[in-house]
Amino acid sequence: MNEKIPVGILGATGMVGQNYVSLLENHPWFEVTFLAASEHSAGQEYASAIKKRWRMPGKPPEAVGKLPVFNVKDTASAQKKCRLVFSAFSMSKNETLQLEREYAAAGMAVISNNSAHRLKDNVPIIMPEVNPELLEIIPGQQQKEGWNKGFIVTKPNCGVQSYVLPVAALKKSGLKIDQIITTNLQALSGAGYPGQSALDVLDNLIPLPSEEEKAFNEPQKIFGKLEGDRIVSDQNLKISSNCVRVPVIDGHSSCVWFSVQGAQPEIAEIEDIFRNFRGVPQEQNLPSAPQPVLRYTRDPSHPQPRLDRNAGNGMAVTIGRLQKAPVLGYRFTALSHNTLRGAAGGAILTAELLVSRGYVA
């Protein structure tokens, strides 16, 4: 790519925003040209705005540190400086809906980490290896909303990343997966910074009932189909999930039980499915695509967050402990990095997919 695409980060001073800043440094396709945050940070240089708040390894990139921080509501300034924005700001659902729509109406591609638009029937939840075909709804979305160049695409909740990718591999192989039970063990960084009090999390597990609904309705939409100008979720896929916060810094783990309709595959067959799975990002060798995306191990002591969360630069899913089970038929454990694959990294990979398919010039 001869000329880098100018991009913006909405919510640039927060934890996800800082991850974007770090991951986009020296990106071969994208250049950060616009930063936005709350009124409190607006008007400062980025280095000053995050001086006591930077939580990434090393120092902020020098060039980005000199950029001014704009008010996140200043869509007019964003329109002059970038073509694509990564949305990671924190507002109420209604405020988020309105503001992301304003960015799209102003002609920008919006890739959102927020949940506000995820279940809108004309807004796709994209996992690049799983459902790139759902990007085909973008022209219909633009026509319905009256947007010219802008559109909105979302990424899923960080909690579903670890098990949806392995399930997608099984479904792509032709296996008919109809029932899934998961226990999701979610890391502390999923709550942002400063997150929850140490007095809450030490020697404790914290139930996350708000995450449990996302754990089944988002995968149903991810595996859904485009029908006309809307996405119809796969209601035949039944998922039940328990979600808890655990005293781990980074890395969401999932213990997964699943059933297969029809002929029951041998464990060796499923192992080969995991090992051989490749999605569009791997086939096109997109800059952020891990090779391979699924890392399967027979070592019964893996996956472990501290040892495996950074596989594939934090973009791969590590799978282990695959075996036949008396409940549903099969079980495995999977791990993904919640702030890389599950947040900023996954959204950057989605942006790369959008560029490769011509949705961002």
Side-chain angles (χ1 to χ4, degrees), residues 89-327:
F89 61 84
S90 180
M91 289 184 179
S92 70
K93 181 177 180 179
N94 287 338
E95 289 174 315
T96 300
L97 287 168
Q98 178 180 343
L99 190 53
E100 290 184 345
R101 289 175 59 83
E102 289 177 9
Y103 275 91
M108 285 164 279
V110 179
I111 302 176
S112 180
N113 289 75
N114 294 311
S115 64
H117 276 101
R118 281 186 194 145
L119 298 185
K120 296 291 183 180
D121 63 8
N122 68 340
V123 177
I125 304 175
I126 294 297
M127 293 184 70
E129 289 90 352
V130 179
N131 60 349
E133 69 280 356
L134 291 189
L135 291 177
E136 295 173 13
I137 200 171
I138 288 175
Q141 180 193 111
Q142 291 171 322
Q143 183 177 11
K144 181 178 180 180
E145 303 293 348
W147 299 334
N148 184 9
K149 297 179 180 179
F151 57 85
I152 299 173
V153 168
T154 66
K155 60 163 298 304
N157 177 265
C158 56
V160 308
Q161 309 280 339
S162 57
Y163 64 90
V164 167
L165 270 164
V167 169
L170 297 172
K171 288 172 68 67
K172 185 177 180 180
S173 75
L175 295 181
K176 295 182 179 180
I177 311 299
D178 61 345
Q179 295 184 78
I180 300 171
I181 296 175
T182 72
T183 296
N184 298 329
L185 311 175
Q186 300 198 10
L188 299 176
S189 56
Y193 186 87
Q196 293 170 300
S197 166
L199 293 177
D200 291 332
V201 299
L202 291 177
D203 190 34
N204 201 16
L205 299 174
I206 301 174
L208 298 175
S210 63
E211 297 289 296
E212 292 169 355
E213 184 176 1
K214 300 173 187 176
F216 70 82
N217 59 27
E218 290 187 20
Q220 286 180 332
K221 186 176 180 185
I222 289 167
F223 289 119
K225 294 182 179 180
L226 182 58
E227 294 186 6
D229 61 353
R230 66 193 186 104
I231 297 168
V232 178
S233 296
D234 181 2
Q235 299 293 333
N236 293 320
L237 182 63
K238 306 299 182 184
I239 303 176
S240 179
S241 182
N242 292 314
C243 299
V244 293
R245 186 80 67 201
V246 296
V248 169
I249 296 174
D250 290 314
H252 286 356
S253 300
S254 293
C255 305
V256 183
W257 290 257
F258 67 96
S259 62
V260 178
Q261 291 183 345
Q264 302 298 289
E266 296 299 323
I267 293 298
E269 296 177 61
I270 298 175
E271 290 177 339
D272 286 342
I273 290 170
F274 289 151
R275 291 194 184 101
N276 296 327
F277 177 70
R278 288 167 59 83
V280 170
Q282 287 70 41
E283 293 169 354
Q284 296 186 348
N285 201 29
L286 297 182
S288 299
Q291 300 282 3
V293 62
L294 299 181
R295 309 289 178 98
Y296 178 75
T297 175
R298 286 184 172 179
D299 186 338
S301 65
H302 289 264
Q304 294 184 36
R306 285 201 301 179
L307 301 180
D308 300 306
R309 60 192 168 206
N310 291 316
N313 294 320
M315 292 292 288
V317 174
T318 301
I319 307 169
R321 302 175 65 190
L322 173 66
Q323 56 191 279
K324 291 189 176 181
V327 176

Side-chain angles (χ1 to χ4, degrees), residues 32-113:
V32 178
T33 58
F34 179 79
L35 300 172
S38 66
E39 294 180 3
H40 176 75
S41 298
Q44 303 180 60
E45 284 192 349
Y46 186 68
S48 297
I50 49 86
K51 186 174 183 180
K52 296 182 179 180
R53 302 173 60 185
W54 185 252
R55 292 292 178 267
M56 298 295 105
K59 296 181 180 180
E62 185 175 352
V64 175
K66 295 178 180 179
L67 291 178
V69 179
F70 290 83
N71 189 317
V72 73
K73 296 180 180 179
D74 189 355
T75 56
S77 293
Q79 189 178 33
K80 298 173 184 177
K81 293 180 176 292
C82 58
R83 289 182 241 164
L84 179 152
V85 293
F86 297 102
S87 176
F89 61 84
S90 180
M91 289 184 179
S92 70
K93 181 177 180 179
N94 287 338
E95 289 174 315
T96 300
L97 287 168
Q98 178 180 343
L99 190 53
E100 290 184 345
R101 289 175 59 83
E102 289 177 9
Y103 275 91
M108 285 164 279
V110 179
I111 302 176
S112 180
N113 289 75

